[in-house]
Amino acid sequence: MNSGLLLNVRACNPAQTGLAVQEDAALAWRDGVISYFGPQSALPDACRVANPIDGGARLLTPALIDCHTHLVFAGNRADEFAARLRGVSYQEIALAGGGIMSSVRQTAAANVEQLIATAWPRACALAREGVATIEIKSGYGLSLTAERAMLQAATALGERTGLCVKRTYLALHALPPEVKDDTTKRAAWIASVCDQWLPALVQEGLVDAVDAFCEGIAFSPDEVRKLFNAARNLGVPVKLHADQLSNLGGGALAAEFVALSADHLEYLDQAGIAAMRMAGTIAVLLPAAFYCLKETKLPPIAELRAAGVAMAVASDCNPGTSPQFSLRLAMHQACTLFGFSIEEALCATTVHAAAALGLSDRGQLKAGLRADFALWPVTHPAELVYWLGDVPAALWVRGKAWVAPILPG
Ligand code: NIG
Ligand code: FE
């Protein structure tokens, strides 16, 4: 069951061979796992099947991985986009009760099925451009019930679309307005998150990782530390929105807890880079949010590169700072805005994106890994980053050809 063979492809396997294209390559899989990848001429007899697929000399790559999204939310914030165009800042909008709180109100008004339906086209748009694995964060709930609904919607989205969804409980994203400025209530709310909601959601099997937003307008390093200690006690890996709008030492904090990743990182300093390198924490860069917020402070890409910290890129798809459901566009932005090379951009959305999710079973074309791969109507791998707009991929997830399912309801 679920075995197959793809012949006559030109393959690019960024983690192993960069931008080099292997002509006349073949890929075989069994039970959703790659059993052979290499020259067609060396294909073992055991990998032959009755009806192999002719790849038509198209370009084969590992399926892409979007390792940081807020794909599940209701409504939108086009009004804030318009306000920002008039010069109002993201921080000003947040302090006036908009921003994340606006999405919290719209998301709270939706049930699980409505959340699935609104996220559906965004997930399918990613898949049409070759994305097989999508990380989805909660964080627009701010109550146990609403956070659970978001994580249930993310779970169902994976089950019903046939894509692989990894769920992150974004436990500390924003504070309910009624507790925000009252020290005692604020501490009590954070204690509920750490001591009650987190264990409950983990116990319900809804949490693959835990995340927080460490920032002046959000949570302090000490508040994040409480959450990360709670996650550590439960054996759940952590990730962090770190050093996006200011330097609070978020990169070093993430490294202190051996986080899978620290994300954004515009204000990351040298101490944070060194700590991340030591901990093996992946740097997830989010150029779409940088672009949408018209930021000017670049993340320290050259320093990360020099230190040997692995860099991933993700869409950060969210209704506020990155209303973008294209990972390829994020790769393009990583190159044009952050100075990534094409090769770095391809590794950033395959092998390094997998590592940012703690996954070593995908992101490369290699026997023993998941048969998640994409076939592209392009000649050179650089075109995957170069073209703006639709470059439709044929996608296989665990060896099954992915077909866009019908939008529910
Ligand atoms: O990743 N930084 C915080 N969280 C999101 C933005 C959320 C929002 O504005 O709705 C981000 O950029
Ligand atoms: Fe984010």
Side-chain angles (χ1 to χ4, degrees), residues 29-232:
W29 63 94
R30 185 179 295 272
D31 296 336
V33 173
I34 297 173
S35 51
Y36 175 80
F37 168 66
Q40 195 165 309
S41 56
L43 180 74
D45 283 342
C47 292
R48 297 197 182 275
V49 300
N51 297 304
I53 302 162
D54 183 346
R58 281 180 291 164
L59 188 76
L60 171 73
T61 68
L64 303 183
I65 297 166
D66 196 346
C67 66
H68 179 142
T69 87
H70 309 248
L71 203 73
V72 168
F73 58 84
N76 67 73
R77 294 185 355 232
D79 54 340
E80 292 179 9
F81 173 63
R84 289 213 308 276
L85 293 177
R86 293 193 298 271
V88 188
S89 76
Y90 181 66
Q91 285 94 328
E92 283 164 343
I93 291 169
L95 290 171
I100 292 171
M101 283 315 299
S102 166
S103 290
V104 168
R105 289 188 290 274
Q106 298 182 74
T107 301
N111 62 32
V112 175
E113 286 304 319
Q114 288 164 331
L115 290 176
I116 296 167
T118 50
W120 192 275
R122 299 190 274 267
C124 291
L126 288 171
R128 275 196 302 274
E129 55 169 28
V131 176
T133 301
I134 307 174
E135 186 255 17
I136 300 180
K137 300 176 194 296
S138 66
Y140 294 124
L142 309 194
S143 70
L144 175 57
T145 311
E147 289 292 317
R148 179 187 284 124
M150 290 189 73
L151 292 166
Q152 286 172 335
T155 306
L157 206 58
E159 287 164 0
R160 296 190 206 168
T161 59
L163 300 170
C164 177
V165 168
K166 292 288 165 188
R167 300 138 320 155
T168 299
Y169 174 32
L170 178 41
L172 301 181
H173 195 198
L175 283 143
E178 62 278 11
V179 313
K180 192 164 162 280
D181 301 317
D182 179 316
T183 321
T184 314
K185 285 187 186 161
R186 183 178 173 114
W189 189 86
I190 293 170
S192 305
V193 167
C194 298
D195 303 337
Q196 292 164 31
W197 305 1
L198 172 63
L201 295 170
V202 169
Q203 216 253 323
E204 290 165 36
L206 290 168
V207 179
D208 298 309
V210 166
D211 197 348
F213 184 21
C214 185
E215 192 57 64
I217 55 168
F219 294 87
S220 72
D222 278 344
E223 290 169 335
V224 172
R225 225 173 240 117
K226 286 200 178 69
L227 174 71
F228 281 7
N229 276 315
R232 177 186 273 166

